[in-house]
Amino acid sequence: MKQSLIIVFVFLSGMAQAQIPVEIFAGYQKLTIDVMFFKYFKNKQKENSNWLFFNRNRASVDYRMTSKTYLPQFGFTEAISYNHPKLKGFAPVAVVQLLGWGVYPKAGIQFFHRKNDFTFFSWVVCETLKDPNIDVFVLSRYEPKLTEKLNLFTQLELVNAFPTNNTEYFNLTQRVRLGLKIKDWQFGAGADFNETGNKTFTNTNNIGGFLRHEF
């Protein structure tokens, strides 16, 4: 089933005709590779349709990895939403997440706004499984011009999972990027923070530098 879903969404991503940004983030704890984009499907006139496709593929490698502990982590998130102009950026969205421990279908409400050098993308979705988590995702990006060939690159990302069962854990993630943009390249400093727990929380962080390129 997982393989079939991956094939379907790879096909859909090709239909979306998107440039694909790839980020490598080297922190003092982990190395991560991140591919994330959102693009409108094209209609027969090669114009943007109301259908928006979101793709997120992420892998991380812990420097403490052994043959049995701190193994690499993988995650795939794919979403399709219908963005009618009368909804003013809001849209129903269907999401599928493929993680190392299972497949999670989700549904909810999305908001997308892009104007000039500012992008804001967010959703609130709920798992369609028993005892579901409620996910709140926020991506905010600001890329103002500094000179004719140089832009500032700033990005804030929030990935939060709130359980509906009192015994399950909260999972709260914040990722910050601050750097420069030259043509299709972005680079600079970054930090990833994570809090996991219920009544008491375990905190981890990964601070380092990133290099990002749009292929």
Side-chain angles (χ1 to χ4, degrees):
M1 179 181 177
K2 291 184 181 180
Q3 289 83 356
S4 299
L5 286 170
I6 293 172
I7 291 171
V8 168
F9 281 111
V10 166
F11 172 72
L12 291 175
S13 64
M15 290 176 60
Q17 299 181 8
Q19 283 185 309
I20 301 178
V22 177
E23 179 194 90
I24 298 176
F25 177 61
Y28 77 100
Q29 296 267 15
K30 299 178 181 181
L31 176 72
T32 64
I33 300 176
D34 202 337
V35 181
M36 177 173 60
F37 68 86
F38 37 91
K39 288 288 183 178
Y40 285 97
F41 288 86
K42 300 296 183 179
N43 58 25
K44 294 181 179 179
Q45 290 74 38
K46 304 299 181 181
E47 300 170 339
N48 289 344
S49 70
N50 292 332
W51 293 96
L52 182 67
F53 175 69
F54 174 86
N55 172 278
R56 178 67 172 284
N57 303 320
R58 183 176 174 84
S60 65
V61 178
D62 196 302
Y63 301 140
R64 300 168 292 176
M65 181 180 61
T66 68
S67 60
K68 295 183 179 179
T69 61
Y70 299 106
L71 298 178
Q73 301 292 316
F74 300 91
F76 305 91
T77 302
E78 322 292 342
I80 296 177
S81 58
Y82 182 74
N83 298 259
H84 195 281
K86 291 185 178 180
L87 296 177
K88 306 297 183 182
F90 290 94
V93 61
V95 180
V96 174
Q97 276 194 317
L98 294 85
L99 305 175
W101 48 91
V103 179
Y104 300 88
K106 306 177 182 185
I109 298 296
Q110 174 183 286
F111 179 76
F112 177 58
H113 175 75
R114 177 186 283 173
K115 186 175 182 181
N116 300 327
D117 47 21
F118 177 72
T119 301
F120 185 86
F121 182 80
S122 179
W123 67 45
V124 178
V125 296
C126 183
E127 293 175 356
T128 58
L129 307 174
K130 185 179 179 181
D131 296 327
N133 282 343
I134 297 174
D135 290 357
V136 179
F137 174 69
V138 175
L139 175 70
S140 179
R141 187 181 296 154
Y142 184 49
E143 305 169 272
K145 272 194 173 185
L146 299 177
T147 68
E148 195 62 33
K149 296 183 178 180
L150 185 66
N151 289 57
L152 182 68
F153 181 84
T154 65
Q155 181 173 287
L156 172 65
E157 183 183 355
L158 307 177
V159 184
N160 299 322
F162 301 95
T164 56
N165 186 323
N166 292 333
T167 63
E168 297 295 327
Y169 284 174
F170 292 80
N171 195 324
L172 312 175
T173 299
Q174 308 90 42
R175 301 188 182 110
V176 182
R177 302 290 185 265
L178 175 61
L180 298 174
K181 176 180 179 180
I182 302 176
K183 295 184 178 180
D184 294 331
W185 292 91
Q186 300 92 40
F187 56 90
D192 294 351
F193 305 98
N194 180 261
E195 298 84 44
T196 303
N198 195 312
K199 295 181 180 179
T200 60
F201 286 80
T202 300
N203 301 305
T204 61
N205 62 73
N206 192 37
I207 299 171
F210 74 92
L211 177 65
R212 191 171 179 271
H213 181 63
E214 294 183 2
F215 291 92

